[in-house]
Amino acid sequence: MTLEPSVVAEPDLVQLLTPEGVRVEHPDYAIDVHDEQLRSLYRDLVLVRRLDSEATALQRQGELGLWASCLGQEAAQVGAGRALREQDMSFPTYREHGVAWCRGVDPLTLLGLFRGVNLGGWDPADNNFGLYTIVIGAQTLHATGYAMGVQRDGAVGSGDPEVDTAVLAFFGDGATSEGDVNEAFVWSAAANLPVVFFCQNNQWAISEPVERQTRVPLFQRASGFGFPGVRVDGNDVLACLAVTRAALEHARSGQGPMMIEAFTYRMGAHTTSDDPTRYRVSAELEKWRLRDPIERVRSYLVRSTDTDADFFTDLDAESERLAEHVRAGCRALPDPEPLSVFDTVYVDAPVELMEQRDTYAAYLDSFVPAGAS
Amino acid sequence: MTLEPSVVAEPDLVQLLTPEGVRVEHPDYAIDVHDEQLRSLYRDLVLVRRLDSEATALQRQGELGLWASCLGQEAAQVGAGRALREQDMSFPTYREHGVAWCRGVDPLTLLGLFRGVNLGGWDPADNNFGLYTIVIGAQTLHATGYAMGVQRDGAVGSGDPEVDTAVLAFFGDGATSEGDVNEAFVWSAAANLPVVFFCQNNQWAISEPVERQTRVPLFQRASGFGFPGVRVDGNDVLACLAVTRAALEHARSGQGPMMIEAFTYRMGAHTTSDDPTRYRVSAELEKWRLRDPIERVRSYLVRSTDTDADFFTDLDAESERLAEHVRAGCRALPDPEPLSVFDTVYVDAPVELMEQRDTYAAYLDSFVPAGAS
Amino acid sequence: MAAVTLAKAINAGLRRAMEDDPKVVLMGEDIGKLGGVFRVTDGLQKDFGEARVIDTPLAESAIVGAAVGLALRGYRPVCEIQFDGFVYPAFDQIVSQVAKMHNRSRGAVRMPITIRIPFGGGIGAVEHHSESPEAYFAHTAGLKVLTCATPADAHVLIRQAIATDDPVIFFEPKRRYWVKGEISDDLSVPMHEARVVRPGTDCTLIAYGPMVATALDAATAAEADGHDLEVIDLRSLSPLDTATILASVERTGRLVVVHEASVSFGLGAEIAARVQEKAFYSLQAPVLRVGGFDTPYPPSRVEEEWLPDVDRILDAVDRSFTY
Amino acid sequence: MAAVTLAKAINAGLRRAMEDDPKVVLMGEDIGKLGGVFRVTDGLQKDFGEARVIDTPLAESAIVGAAVGLALRGYRPVCEIQFDGFVYPAFDQIVSQVAKMHNRSRGAVRMPITIRIPFGGGIGAVEHHSESPEAYFAHTAGLKVLTCATPADAHVLIRQAIATDDPVIFFEPKRRYWVKGEISDDLSVPMHEARVVRPGTDCTLIAYGPMVATALDAATAAEADGHDLEVIDLRSLSPLDTATILASVERTGRLVVVHEASVSFGLGAEIAARVQEKAFYSLQAPVLRVGGFDTPYPPSRVEEEWLPDVDRILDAVDRSFTY
Ligand SMILES: Cc1ncc(C[n+]2csc(CCOP(=O)(O)OP(=O)(O)O)c2C)c(N)n1
Ligand SMILES: Cc1ncc(C[n+]2csc(CCOP(=O)(O)OP(=O)(O)O)c2C)c(N)n1
Ligand SMILES: [Mg+2]
Ligand SMILES: [Mg+2]
């Protein structure tokens, strides 16, 4: 039997809220959201965009060494982040500031590595949010292993919503080419692990368009490994929420992995070091601006709910407070002590390393001007 | 859109000659073979099995350090090997003795690495047959790169059968889990390369059944990357020939990669170092013995063609001569000189390495009894 | 206790670790029913089940990457890499994740991962089955690197490696898997301590893993020439027990380091560098190195010539005495 | 010729190599329209087309593995690894294929592959962007390992690397990409020759890549103390030009080796081991090493403290003079 790949030129996206702000239904992914929840999602979107733009500004001011903006991807990240239950684990790349936000991570926690005062430095267990991972794709295998642990702990398919646990692994379109990501697919499928692979296809891997990585839509990749794949409008927070919820439930209930391709767009540069004018045209940007993830929710709230002006004014104020928190907090992040580089290399540090530390400490002391100690 | 993987419990195999030796037709893969060609295929199958069993015997006698038998997989290898045109390139694992045979490689050439007198030691360009590759999956990327070269040389889609070139990459069921193999799929698909991925699913990766690697049939993997996959009866030399021919033509004509899963069985141990009784039951072996790749061709030749007894007697004699060639040739393979380890590390060897060599040479000389030089 | 093979000593250590801590899981290719190609995990899947002795897909990067995830979930994974030459696909996960995650989290997460690797040559194998990649890992901050030369050490060290909260690359001398010796439950010897396996006065030989036995043979042979050699088994390659090394060299004044790995940029280089720095005035001769040549591991029919042996060690010892 | 940046010097070298040999192809992530994250391949895709300047999928093992295949088809691939920390996924293809294929074929096939890697720290980058993995490759038989410290050398060495039929790992000192200097077409200096960049009489400093400038600064500063330091730029890390090193140490009697990589098991170890062996009686002090600490590369806000600098080099020089 020959299986011809079913190439769908423009495959349907799961969409529940059009770019114009109109609610539509989807046969597979129904969602029942109250206006209050919608406002709450809107709040997240707005605040995530705000903290992101604040960080970009801080980089320009020299307060951060680098920033990887999530501009344009807020709906994908908030939708996915809000679908998680407390016990679920998530493994981000370096761009999931919106997921971090939904998990309750203080944005300042994220800034450390971009400022260069640490390499991440948070505890994944604090918010069930993994450390930012810069090596493309590596975290998908960590998600796989974590899901093995979940499975061994009996926290899959028990039917108890407090117990059953899924793992959500984030990665980009470019990452789908890495061996690690495909090995994660292999293993999760073969072992029927409770992991959801959430690919934000933002159309670019730095300067390379997604066509450099694949000639078919990425969500189709999953079927080759034997698990379902779905493409969702990554700029539609409702659709992302509904689809991720369903996928996580699929995983928690013991049906194994699922892949989600959130079709979205990187509205900014790859990072603050990047210059996208060298490789892409502004027309593309204009097209995607019309599909803005926040604008459509605002339209809906204004037109189809009784959200009053106070809500928006209050949110503006909250947004300002967050921005101030980010700015002030960033500047206050202390530089590490030179000797701190030795602190956490090992749990049980070798004598020789401690000697190296002591020698260096003595060397540093030798610069202290006489009488200054 | 959600793509549910189309799980086919027992997907059809392309089959053109049943285990009972009955010719059947397949809508997609017609083949027109004369009796003479069938005899020639039969001859290859028989001789490959003979050289393989001779090598196994030589290992038992201590003449080889190791042998990886292709017993049971002769049809897959001869079918694939015979489908190649002279200009096509092939990249084997360590088990493709049947492909080597079809490419015109003297079996003795293969024995060197198993005897331990070299690490392969042949020139891939001699017969367009790559070096045996022991690191699982690595050669699939070499095939990918070679195919890039073919594409750059304009040797794809020209319509000239002397020019258009395909690349055939062999690997096992276990290998499908390696990152390298999946990266080869990614790249070949994205760049539309003239490469055919030929997976011999012999049901086992040493002691691990194929279920450890996948929960869906392996030929489906290709569709996730956007190219066709086909499962063929790997014990049917006609089907393997027809399908590989078609796939190579697909590649040569510029339509990009294809994947073939040859469904077969490793009748022997993984290698002579392995003890399969620890992990598999003989009933499975019995089942597969009924699907023997050689027996069915013999049945067909005897029953449905005018092949006379002389053909079989002559082949027996030829087989004996081949065995003798292998035995005698193997024993005659010279051990390498100790100093030869320095010979081919670099094309342009560093002075320091040559000094290391000279020092070692002097050291060796110091053992020569006085007056013995 | 009765004498057991080195392979069995590790097997018993793994068993004990699994009994002591339900979070210990083993993962690797063919470690289940087959018990591993060297039978080191023989019987463990039968006794501890498929959830704790895991036959993995054929993907080394995944084996190590999944171990990282398991560790994050509170497990204590022990990975088997089938042969030394197959650890390289996992190199990225080892160097960039296993070694760095604890530090990346500023100590919040721990990586109690043990990666077992049968290493070294001398068993007549084909390419990639006789490598000595230990220097790559010793040069990688965040990892600890252990070896063993006897059943007794193998048993204790594997248990210590699993028990420690730092990641350990555990090199097993595959050609010594069948050597027999007694094992004991005494875990009191510190994991990173080198051991003087033969005291001597004239020259120090340092070896580890498969070369310890060869070094001891050389020391015995040297007696005939009236040389009393001291032999040190490093056991720990990272960190190095520099104190034990220096104490010996300060007494003997001479040092020869032996390993199978290519001599350049190998363990011997680091040891020579440290010793000439820290024992500058004690050295009566330069530190000399005996190792594999700076070539790929050779075809097996010539491996005995390529590998350091008693004669090549003695040749170096003799050269040392010429100073 | 006018002065150009080191990045531009490599760019010009790549261009020249592509003009000279139609089989030269470049491959890597973002090397096309973007010209690479450091713009080293700027303009080359425009001039040589997408078939010869290839934006690859995001898969380092594939980049190197495909280069092997291209080499087998008669091409001369030049791979760019975007940052030092991303070479590890390709480690298996480099160590087991690129380095060994020529030998596996007993000389029948050649691997004229150049793997360019921007390396080292000091640019304020995030994790994995400041690594110094050169020792891993120097320890791997079958590879040649080059570095460059000036535009002139960068230009010549990249052309020599591409022209040679052996595989070369080519380390580019990323924090010196913007340093300017003249370049020339004179390819007569042998590829593996070290260069005395500052003659001196009292103590030798050995450095390579980004540390050469730092070593020169240290030598200048030492003049104030009345010390005349000799500075050697290794250029080739494998093979090492031991002759040049020994000639210098035999004159000065003292040696300090400087590199960014973690000091243990790094280049300094091999150099110390060779020098103490080959120049035993010339050394008036032990070979001292100044390198990164045995920790992962630190957060950028503390990298200037972690990296060797003029003061730490002079501190080592002073210690050398105490002997
Ligand atoms: C293994 C590895 N190779 C290369 C890089 C350099 N790099 C950083 S981000 C990036 C592109 C990633 O693209 P994608 O996966 O689509 O994620 P996005 O940045 O678009 O969110 C590259 C090549 C890296 N971080 N890791
Ligand atoms: C990277 C790597 N890991 C592990 C091995 C050890 N090994 C050799 S053959 C083999 C199983 C291969 O199975 P499969 O791909 O199905 O090929 P088969 O041997 O069945 O033909 C393994 C695990 C290896 N050679 N290379
Ligand atoms: Mg992207
Ligand atoms: Mg198999």
Side-chain angles (χ1 to χ4, degrees), chain A residues 24-140:
Chain A
V24 290
E25 295 303 325
H26 189 282
D28 301 336
Y29 299 97
I31 194 164
D32 187 23
V33 274
H34 310 292
D35 295 353
E36 197 45 49
Q37 286 169 321
L38 254 176
R39 279 191 287 272
S40 158
L41 287 166
Y42 180 76
R43 174 179 169 272
D44 282 351
L45 293 169
V46 167
L47 295 179
V48 167
R49 179 164 295 181
R50 185 55 187 260
L51 75 86
D52 184 78
S53 67
E54 241 6 87
T56 300
L58 284 164
Q59 194 281 335
R60 293 219 183 87
Q61 295 155 27
E63 295 294 335
L64 297 179
L66 184 82
W67 182 249
S69 166
C70 66
L71 186 67
Q73 301 177 220
E74 297 90 350
Q77 298 190 6
V78 168
R82 291 281 295 262
L84 289 161
R85 291 214 193 115
E86 200 182 328
Q87 73 268 27
D88 293 333
M89 185 65 193
S90 53
F91 286 91
T93 71
Y94 41 79
R95 204 189 287 285
E96 272 66 68
H97 320 311
V99 182
W101 172 261
C102 296
R103 295 257 79 185
V105 177
D106 185 325
L108 292 178
T109 307
L110 307 176
L111 296 189
L113 84 89
F114 292 102
R115 187 171 168 89
V117 301
N118 61 38
L119 304 167
W122 65 82
D123 186 343
D126 284 346
N127 302 77
N128 280 338
F129 183 72
L131 289 156
Y132 273 0
T133 305
I134 291 171
V135 179
I136 298 293
Q139 75 282 359
T140 59

Side-chain angles (χ1 to χ4, degrees), chain C residues 140-213:
Chain C
T140 305
L143 300 177
K144 293 180 168 180
V145 183
L146 301 181
T147 57
C148 52
T150 64
D153 272 352
H155 182 74
V156 167
L157 286 169
I158 190 69
R159 286 172 62 185
Q160 291 177 325
I162 296 171
T164 187
D165 279 340
D166 291 308
V168 175
I169 313 293
F170 192 83
F171 282 104
E172 304 173 1
K174 70 168 84 82
R175 66 161 137 156
R176 310 290 183 197
Y177 270 140
W178 302 277
V179 167
K180 285 195 171 181
E182 310 236 315
I183 60 176
S184 103
D185 264 347
D186 178 6
L187 303 187
S188 63
V189 181
M191 189 166 76
H192 297 300
E193 205 168 275
R195 192 201 310 278
V196 178
V197 286
R198 183 191 196 282
T201 52
D202 301 347
C203 175
T204 304
L205 291 184
I206 288 181
Y208 55 88
M211 280 291 119
V212 173

Side-chain angles (χ1 to χ4, degrees), chain B residues 73 94-95 172-175 200-206 266:
Chain B
Q73 301 178 216
Y94 41 78
R95 204 189 286 287
D173 45 296
Q200 284 169 82
N201 176 0
N202 64 5
Q203 314 302 325
W204 293 92
I206 309 187
R266 195 194 77 208

Side-chain angles (χ1 to χ4, degrees), chain B residues 94-109:
Chain B
Y94 41 78
R95 204 189 286 287
E96 272 67 68
H97 320 311
V99 181
W101 172 261
C102 296
R103 296 257 81 185
V105 177
D106 185 325
L108 292 178
T109 306

Side-chain angles (χ1 to χ4, degrees), chain A residues 73 93-95 134-136 171-176 178 200 202 204-206 266 270, chain D residues 29-30 58 60 82-83 86 89 129:
Chain A
Q73 301 177 220
T93 71
Y94 41 79
R95 204 189 287 285
I134 291 171
V135 179
I136 298 293
F171 54 103
D173 45 295
T176 59
E178 285 283 6
Q200 285 169 79
N202 63 8
W204 293 91
I206 308 187
R266 195 194 78 208
H270 169 68
Chain D
E29 295 155 10
D30 306 293
L58 210 180
E60 290 75 12
Q82 199 162 76
F83 282 91
F86 309 135
H129 290 68

Side-chain angles (χ1 to χ4, degrees), chain D residues 25-226:
Chain D
V25 293
L26 313 189
M27 50 205 299
E29 295 155 10
D30 306 293
I31 68 167
K33 274 195 188 161
L34 185 64
V37 292
F38 292 107
R39 309 295 184 264
V40 172
T41 55
D42 192 27
L44 297 178
Q45 189 181 65
K46 195 171 129 278
D47 293 344
F48 295 96
E50 292 188 15
R52 292 189 65 197
V53 181
I54 306 160
D55 267 336
T56 67
L58 210 180
E60 290 75 12
S61 189
I63 293 173
V64 175
V68 170
L70 276 160
L72 290 170
R73 180 77 189 179
Y75 283 81
R76 202 169 273 278
V78 183
C79 305
E80 172 173 309
I81 299 293
Q82 199 162 76
F83 282 91
D84 32 57
F86 309 135
V87 70
Y88 306 128
F91 201 69
D92 177 57
Q93 285 284 348
I94 296 175
V95 168
S96 291
Q97 305 300 330
V98 173
K100 298 193 171 68
M101 187 78 84
H102 176 65
N103 191 53
R104 184 176 303 143
S105 74
R106 279 216 63 67
V109 303
R110 296 179 172 199
M111 289 285 118
I113 296 172
T114 303
I115 300 176
R116 298 179 38 241
I117 309 179
F119 86 122
I123 62 159
V126 294
E127 207 187 346
H128 312 291
H129 290 68
S130 307
E131 307 259 305
S132 295
E134 61 274 14
Y136 298 136
F137 301 101
H139 184 49
T140 305
L143 300 177
K144 295 181 169 180
V145 183
L146 301 181
T147 58
C148 51
T150 64
D153 272 352
H155 182 73
V156 167
L157 286 168
I158 191 68
R159 286 173 60 185
Q160 291 176 326
I162 296 170
T164 186
D165 279 339
D166 291 308
V168 175
I169 314 293
F170 191 84
F171 282 105
E172 304 173 0
K174 71 168 86 79
R175 65 161 138 157
R176 309 290 184 198
Y177 269 141
W178 303 277
V179 166
K180 286 194 168 180
E182 308 237 316
I183 60 176
S184 105
D185 264 345
D186 177 6
L187 302 187
S188 63
V189 180
M191 190 165 73
H192 297 300
E193 205 168 274
R195 192 201 310 277
V196 177
V197 287
R198 182 190 196 284
T201 52
D202 301 346
C203 174
T204 304
L205 291 183
I206 288 182
Y208 56 86
M211 281 289 119
V212 173
T214 314
L216 281 168
D217 289 346
T220 307
E223 283 175 13
D225 298 335

